[in-house]
Amino acid sequence: MTKRMLAAAMLGVILVLSAACGGSDGKSGGSSAGPQKVVFWHAMGGANTKVVDQMVSDFNASQDKVKVEAIFQGTYDDLLSKLKASMGSKDGPSLVQMYEIGSRFMIDSKTVTPMQTFIDADKYDLSQLEPNITGYYTLNGKLYSMPFNTSNPILYYNKDLFKAAGLDPAKPPKTFEEFQQAADAITKSGKATGANFAIYGWFMEQFFANQGAEYVNNGNGRTSPATESIVNSEAGVKTLTWWKDMVAAKSMNNLGRKTDDSKKAFLAGQVGMILDSTAALRGLVTDAQGKFEVGTGFLPRPSDGKEGGVIVGGASLWMMNDKSEAEQKAAWEFIKFLTSPKEQAYWHINTGYFPITKKAYDEQSVKDNLQKFPQFQTAVDQLHQTKPNTATQGAVMGVFPEARQIVEGAIEETLNGKKSPKEALDAAAKEITAKIQTYNKTVK
């Protein structure tokens, strides 16, 4: 063997030994590979993007075994489209945020590992989380995803307009009848129109739950997959009739589908009452400062209706099952970080979404925030007074995004005088049922 051949052979041995030892720095192979990467897709835009990025940065700085990369993917619908396009490829995320009405699709897609798998393996104490929030994402006793951004609808009202109309600003209306009377009084005062509801399918879903009524059959799609829409039931007709009557009496405006238009009218003092998400509270109270005092109340219900509650809105985090066990476990570590009381306090204060962890309310920062924005106590009380059942857990169906659009169309037709509430909701129920049944045929 020549000297050159001998040198080459020795170099090969050195390289093999070096690789086995993890490199020339003497580190083990696991360490030199670096932290486990977790790709997190989300739809938190605007100021909320910065909040998500900060939480991810804090997690990454808190340890050296996992590195999360957060990627904003646009609206919820954009995110769902991109996720569908990535399925079956290596381009998808480890962890994805999905709006609540995408839950049935996520389960049926068979592309997720239920969160319950990690909860059971880790003996994670699920009782530390709000049961009315985890209830939405629980089917057949199994938590499929981890709640992330959670909200409810509440009533916002202008206390100054209440006083001008001879109404008690400390007593928001609790029933459909009281709401209609308050809207009439504000309108008759000549100061503003009584109210406005954005034409938003989420509100109709909430009015059903607040009457203890289910939105689809088969226990709201929870005892077994839904096969039929029942949006044309008594609860729906009663709600839409009440809504239409106020628009017809001109004690309520019809400003269309955009909740932003409803908020603008409210902040301009043009309407006395609106419905909006609890996540809008901080912005509304802050923007109204110097103009008028904002009051908050529970979502109204018919005085003769069955007692119900509200459904959580927002989105949750889903674990994709096409990633390695190590990657999924790393994503689970990130989820546990996000659900800690400290992080939930930070999330709540900076976004207005509910903390999902009970002990977050013990954090001084949350106590201070409640003092600054006492209106949020309404949201907390409404959530805690909601009794978990199939109505308040919310409907589950694979075509929920389409169903919501169809219901909004029915509301528009009714408010514009094209159809009666019953006619519009009968047509909507028929169309949604057909879509549900077509979807169900695609599920294997």
Side-chain angles (χ1 to χ4, degrees), residues 251-431:
S251 60
M252 177 182 272
N253 284 337
N254 173 15
L255 298 176
R257 298 194 188 197
K258 293 181 179 178
T259 54
D260 276 354
D261 290 342
S262 186
K263 282 188 275 198
K264 285 173 186 173
F266 180 70
L267 288 169
Q270 295 168 355
V271 296
M273 298 180 287
I274 62 169
L275 296 180
D276 212 313
S277 165
T278 50
L281 189 147
R282 183 171 175 168
L284 285 170
V285 173
T286 301
D287 291 345
Q289 281 178 352
K291 300 178 187 175
F292 60 89
E293 187 180 354
V294 176
T296 51
F298 283 18
L299 188 74
R301 65 161 63 98
S303 58
D304 60 349
K306 182 181 172 184
E307 191 172 340
V310 286
I311 312 164
V312 299
S316 63
L317 305 180
W318 295 78
M319 188 80 72
M320 305 309 291
N321 65 12
D322 61 345
K323 304 302 178 186
S324 69
E325 185 180 352
E327 192 170 331
Q328 291 185 52
K329 283 183 177 177
W332 169 243
E333 291 304 313
F334 175 55
I335 286 171
K336 286 193 291 183
F337 174 84
L338 291 179
T339 60
S340 67
K342 182 182 175 184
E343 291 305 308
Q344 281 299 300
Y346 176 80
W347 176 248
H348 161 63
I349 291 165
N350 287 281
T351 65
Y353 287 110
F354 280 109
I356 68 163
T357 306
K358 296 174 188 173
K359 285 187 177 177
Y361 290 105
D362 295 334
E363 295 283 318
Q364 191 58 47
S365 56
V366 173
K367 292 177 181 178
D368 293 343
N369 192 63
L370 267 173
Q371 277 197 318
K372 190 175 180 183
F373 299 99
Q375 295 94 336
F376 199 82
Q377 191 62 49
T378 301
V380 176
D381 292 345
Q382 183 175 243
L383 177 70
H384 288 164
Q385 288 179 32
T386 292
K387 297 176 178 66
N389 54 46
T390 51
T392 59
Q393 277 182 290
V396 185
M397 55 176 147
V399 295
F400 216 142
E402 300 95 314
R404 189 172 276 180
Q405 294 287 320
I406 292 166
V407 170
E408 288 171 4
I411 296 169
E412 276 178 338
E413 287 180 320
T414 302
L415 300 187
N416 293 332
K418 292 181 179 178
K419 288 182 180 177
S420 72
K422 184 76 166 65
E423 288 170 339
L425 292 176
D426 279 347
K430 184 178 179 182
E431 188 177 354

Side-chain angles (χ1 to χ4, degrees), residues 65-388:
K65 291 183 173 59
V66 182
K67 185 174 183 183
V68 175
E69 179 188 359
I71 304 173
F72 172 63
Q73 295 286 13
T75 66
Y76 287 133
D77 288 333
D78 292 338
L79 177 54
L80 179 56
S81 295
K82 289 175 183 177
L83 183 68
K84 286 179 178 178
S86 76
M87 287 177 175
S89 74
K90 295 180 180 179
D91 301 327
S94 329
L95 193 67
V96 64
Q97 179 194 22
M98 184 56 59
Y99 53 0
E100 83 282 23
I101 57 175
S103 296
R104 182 79 254 174
F105 167 77
M106 292 300 288
I107 293 169
D108 291 340
S109 73
K110 296 181 173 58
T111 61
V112 301
T113 302
M115 215 52 68
Q116 195 70 44
T117 303
F118 303 95
I119 289 165
D120 294 344
D122 214 8
K123 294 184 172 57
Y124 179 85
D125 181 12
L126 202 55
S127 69
Q128 65 187 294
L129 306 182
E130 292 277 8
N132 282 342
I133 297 176
T134 56
Y136 186 98
Y137 302 103
T138 302
L139 263 81
N140 303 318
K142 186 186 292 185
L143 185 68
Y144 273 87
S145 60
M146 184 61 75
F148 184 48
N149 53 307
T150 302
S151 58
N152 287 158
I154 56 173
L155 170 68
Y156 293 89
Y157 66 99
N158 182 323
K159 289 192 173 186
D160 293 8
L161 288 175
F162 262 52
K163 289 175 190 173
L167 300 166
D168 186 343
K171 290 186 178 179
K174 294 180 179 178
T175 65
F176 279 11
E177 295 77 9
E178 288 175 0
F179 185 95
Q180 195 159 359
Q181 289 163 9
D184 286 343
I186 292 167
T187 304
K188 285 174 184 173
S189 75
K191 301 283 186 182
T193 302
N196 173 258
F197 295 162
I199 297 174
Y200 187 14
W202 188 51
F203 294 154
M204 183 62 87
E205 296 150 29
Q206 297 289 349
F207 283 127
F208 265 71
N210 213 21
Q211 297 173 61
E214 294 171 354
Y215 210 59
V216 292
N217 69 344
N218 295 339
N220 240 357
R222 290 179 175 275
T223 53
S224 62
T227 59
E228 183 184 353
S229 166
I230 46 178
V231 71
N232 58 338
S233 66
E234 182 188 356
V237 175
K238 183 181 289 185
T239 299
L240 194 48
T241 301
W242 166 69
W243 191 338
K244 176 184 181 295
D245 287 349
M246 288 186 287
V247 171
K250 293 185 167 51
S251 60
M252 177 182 272
N253 284 337
N254 173 15
L255 298 176
R257 298 194 188 197
K258 293 181 179 178
T259 54
D260 276 354
D261 290 342
S262 186
K263 282 188 275 198
K264 285 173 186 173
F266 180 70
L267 288 169
Q270 295 168 355
V271 296
M273 298 180 287
I274 62 169
L275 296 180
D276 212 313
S277 165
T278 50
L281 189 147
R282 183 171 175 168
L284 285 170
V285 173
T286 301
D287 291 345
Q289 281 178 352
K291 300 178 187 175
F292 60 89
E293 187 180 354
V294 176
T296 51
F298 283 18
L299 188 74
R301 65 161 63 98
S303 58
D304 60 349
K306 182 181 172 184
E307 191 172 340
V310 286
I311 312 164
V312 299
S316 63
L317 305 180
W318 295 78
M319 188 80 72
M320 305 309 291
N321 65 12
D322 61 345
K323 304 302 178 186
S324 69
E325 185 180 352
E327 192 170 331
Q328 291 185 52
K329 283 183 177 177
W332 169 243
E333 291 304 313
F334 175 55
I335 286 171
K336 286 193 291 183
F337 174 84
L338 291 179
T339 60
S340 67
K342 182 182 175 184
E343 291 305 308
Q344 281 299 300
Y346 176 80
W347 176 248
H348 161 63
I349 291 165
N350 287 281
T351 65
Y353 287 110
F354 280 109
I356 68 163
T357 306
K358 296 174 188 173
K359 285 187 177 177
Y361 290 105
D362 295 334
E363 295 283 318
Q364 191 58 47
S365 56
V366 173
K367 292 177 181 178
D368 293 343
N369 192 63
L370 267 173
Q371 277 197 318
K372 190 175 180 183
F373 299 99
Q375 295 94 336
F376 199 82
Q377 191 62 49
T378 301
V380 176
D381 292 345
Q382 183 175 243
L383 177 70
H384 288 164
Q385 288 179 32
T386 292
K387 297 176 178 66

